Amino acid sequence: MKKRILGFWEIWNMSFGFLGIQFGFALQGGFMSRIFQTLGAEKDNIPLLWIAAPLTGLLIQPIIGYLSDKTWHSKLGRRRPYFLIGAILSSIALFIVPHSPALWVAAGLLWVLDASINVSMEPFRALVADKLHESQRSYGFVVQTLIIGIGTWVASNLPWLVNYLGVSNEAAPGIVPMSVKIAFAIGALVFITSILYTIFTTDEYPPEDMEAFNKMKAETKGHFVRDIIENIGNMPPTMIKLGVIQFFSWFAFFTMWSLAMPALTEHVYNAPAPVETAFNFQEVAQQTAFNVANKKYQDASDNVGSAMGVYGLSSMVFALLLTFYASRKRVNRKYTHMASLILGGIGFISMYYVPDPSYLYISFILIGIAWGSILSMPYAMLSSSIDANKMGVYMGLFNMFIVLPQIIAAIGGINYAYKLIGEETIYSMIVAGICLILAGLANLLIVNKKAIAYTID
């Protein structure tokens, strides 16, 4: 099928649902560790509590990709049915999570939330490849990254903003502050609204031969496991090489999402989360001491969340610059991605040396450049290297290279790695920096010219 060249606003509309998806991920990534600590989690156990996120991605994304490749709804098309289902479930989960009465409830709800977000997210990657001519793939994924950057920045600042508007960020021991609860509720509303916007403003190309499409569905019915195994065995070499880059990239960012909050509140703000068992609440002085320590921690958490939001803003600016460039000229995806990841690695390592909390913003600006590239360049390279008829399933399988490093990190990889350097949690950020630099250098493995920079013959 000959695909027409789309205008900016058409690409914007088809990608706008990612605003809601990123609200979900940013609130999850920036504040789940805060919720876990508030509910009594010890910091070394936090990565394990996060294991829900990569495990659900490992299971959900290939399944949704496979199913969406074989779906055609007369009104909603191929990918949009999954957008809608995921958005409804994600919005419900976002609203409920900060109201968790116990740690195990919050950990369980993280499974539900991440699974639901993944149902919506995977088809969005495939939709860009479905709709756009290969010459526009870099442009399309960069526009998507621009919207993701906006979502990350706004969502990461929501608890701070809600507190600034007068809602308290203090609460009794074991209770999540109201400012966080309201922020998650706003995130739920944005999630469903933005997904609906894309559904109503974007159509999809139907199968070229509906009879052949239906025949293919019938022939492959019940062969899910076999087909998945075959597709794994037949991965293009470029996809495997990109997997190496993704492995180190996502180990680094999972480390940030799970441990940046305790690492930075302790090292930069000198405000660790107070441990309830260390206080005797029967004594007024001890209760007062806890309240003071908790207030200091909650304020520091707001500031860390706000600083983390800068990486979303930075990725947005980076994506905007790439959008203008990619709309007019070729983007050398390989060297763009390599330089971006190395800058992000420097950003992580610099956290150890910041003399003042305000310098954290510089660290997160550099990290945002890496994040903007991670969300666009690998997918642009991949989409030019795989069979268009298997776009959904391969985009889903590509997620293995995202979730496997996170699973390894969650079950002890982060704790083991950073404790090789020292006991302080801030060393986990140095490990993240080293991983991003290794990911950047791994781009030298990519030699497929079509993946590096697609040109119209």
Side-chain angles (χ1 to χ4, degrees), residues 242-278:
L242 285 168
V244 176
I245 300 168
Q246 293 289 80
F247 182 93
F248 287 108
S249 300
W250 286 87
F251 191 100
F253 272 86
F254 185 84
T255 299
M256 181 188 75
W257 293 325
S258 59
L259 289 181
M261 188 65 74
L264 298 178
T265 52
E266 291 174 12
H267 183 74
V268 177
Y269 288 91
N270 193 30
V275 180
E276 291 181 42
T277 54

Side-chain angles (χ1 to χ4, degrees), residues 305-322:
S306 180
M308 286 180 72
V310 169
Y311 88 85
L313 183 61
S314 172
S315 70
M316 179 182 69
V317 174
F318 179 67
L320 186 61
L321 294 174
L322 275 180

Side-chain angles (χ1 to χ4, degrees), residues 22 25-27 29-30 145 148-150 152-153 156-157 250 253 256-257 304-318 348 351 360-372 375:
Q22 197 54 36
F25 272 128
L27 288 169
T145 301
I148 290 171
I150 295 170
T152 301
W153 179 61
S156 297
N157 280 284
W250 286 87
F253 272 86
M256 181 188 75
W257 293 325
V304 170
S306 180
M308 286 180 72
V310 169
Y311 88 85
L313 183 61
S314 172
S315 70
M316 179 182 69
V317 174
F318 179 67
F348 274 120
M351 290 178 176
L360 275 181
Y361 290 92
I362 298 174
S363 300
F364 279 111
I365 286 171
L366 295 176
I367 291 167
I369 293 172
W371 182 237
L375 295 175

Side-chain angles (χ1 to χ4, degrees), residues 131-430:
K131 292 276 290 180
L132 296 180
H133 187 275
E134 280 195 76
S135 64
Q136 286 193 300
R137 295 268 175 87
S138 294
Y139 185 31
F141 283 115
V142 166
V143 171
Q144 198 174 80
T145 301
L146 173 61
I147 292 172
I148 290 171
I150 295 170
T152 301
W153 179 61
V154 176
S156 297
N157 280 284
L158 272 179
W160 171 85
L161 177 61
V162 171
N163 177 237
Y164 178 78
L165 294 175
V167 179
S168 177
N169 68 353
E170 298 180 64
I175 303 296
V176 176
M178 183 57 67
S179 59
V180 176
K181 293 177 180 177
I182 292 177
F184 272 67
I186 293 171
L189 179 62
V190 172
F191 200 119
I192 188 69
T193 303
S194 62
I195 292 286
L196 289 173
Y197 178 86
T198 287
I199 289 173
F200 288 129
T201 60
T202 303
D203 57 9
E204 298 186 63
Y205 291 120
E208 290 186 74
D209 187 335
M210 188 62 73
E211 184 177 342
F213 177 76
N214 289 330
K215 183 179 179 181
M216 178 272 294
K217 283 175 57 179
E219 289 175 349
T220 58
K221 188 175 182 180
H223 296 159
F224 169 74
V225 175
R226 184 200 68 186
D227 289 349
I228 291 292
I229 292 174
E230 285 183 1
N231 285 313
I232 292 174
N234 295 323
M235 281 186 189
T238 299
M239 184 173 174
I240 296 171
K241 293 173 183 178
L242 285 168
V244 176
I245 300 168
Q246 293 289 80
F247 182 93
F248 287 108
S249 300
W250 286 87
F251 191 100
F253 272 86
F254 185 84
T255 299
M256 181 188 75
W257 293 325
S258 59
L259 289 181
M261 188 65 74
L264 298 178
T265 52
E266 291 174 12
H267 183 74
V268 177
Y269 288 91
N270 193 30
V275 180
E276 291 181 42
T277 54
F279 296 86
N280 180 1
F281 291 102
Q282 301 301 316
E283 298 180 12
V284 175
Q286 289 282 295
Q287 175 73 61
T288 301
F290 175 86
N291 290 340
V292 169
N294 189 47
K295 169 64 174 170
K296 189 177 180 181
Y297 168 71
Q298 297 296 348
D299 287 342
S301 296
D302 280 349
N303 289 328
V304 170
S306 180
M308 286 180 72
V310 169
Y311 88 85
L313 183 61
S314 172
S315 70
M316 179 182 69
V317 174
F318 179 67
L320 186 61
L321 294 174
L322 275 180
T323 299
F324 286 125
Y325 187 87
S327 66
R328 293 168 175 80
K329 298 183 180 181
R330 285 188 302 164
V331 173
N332 188 305
R333 301 160 179 168
K334 172 180 175 176
Y335 290 116
T336 298
H337 198 40
M338 182 170 71
S340 300
L341 293 178
I342 291 173
L343 285 174
I346 294 170
F348 274 120
I349 293 171
S350 70
M351 290 178 176
Y352 181 81
Y353 300 99
V354 294
D356 181 86
S358 61
Y359 284 85
L360 275 181
Y361 290 92
I362 298 174
S363 300
F364 279 111
I365 286 171
L366 295 176
I367 291 167
I369 293 172
W371 182 237
S373 190
I374 286 170
L375 295 175
S376 54
M377 292 299 107
Y379 297 99
M381 286 191 271
L382 176 66
S383 66
S384 295
S385 311
I386 57 179
D387 182 354
N389 293 320
K390 296 182 178 181
M391 193 65 68
V393 68
Y394 271 131
M395 284 289 181
L397 289 174
F398 193 52
N399 191 56
M400 290 193 309
F401 300 117
I402 294 174
V403 299
L404 287 176
Q406 295 181 66
I407 292 171
I408 292 171
I411 61 176
I414 295 176
N415 291 340
Y416 175 80
Y418 89 74
K419 287 182 180 179
L420 290 174
I421 306 173
E423 289 295 319
E424 294 180 42
T425 319
I426 190 62
Y427 291 122
S428 63
M429 298 299 101
I430 293 180

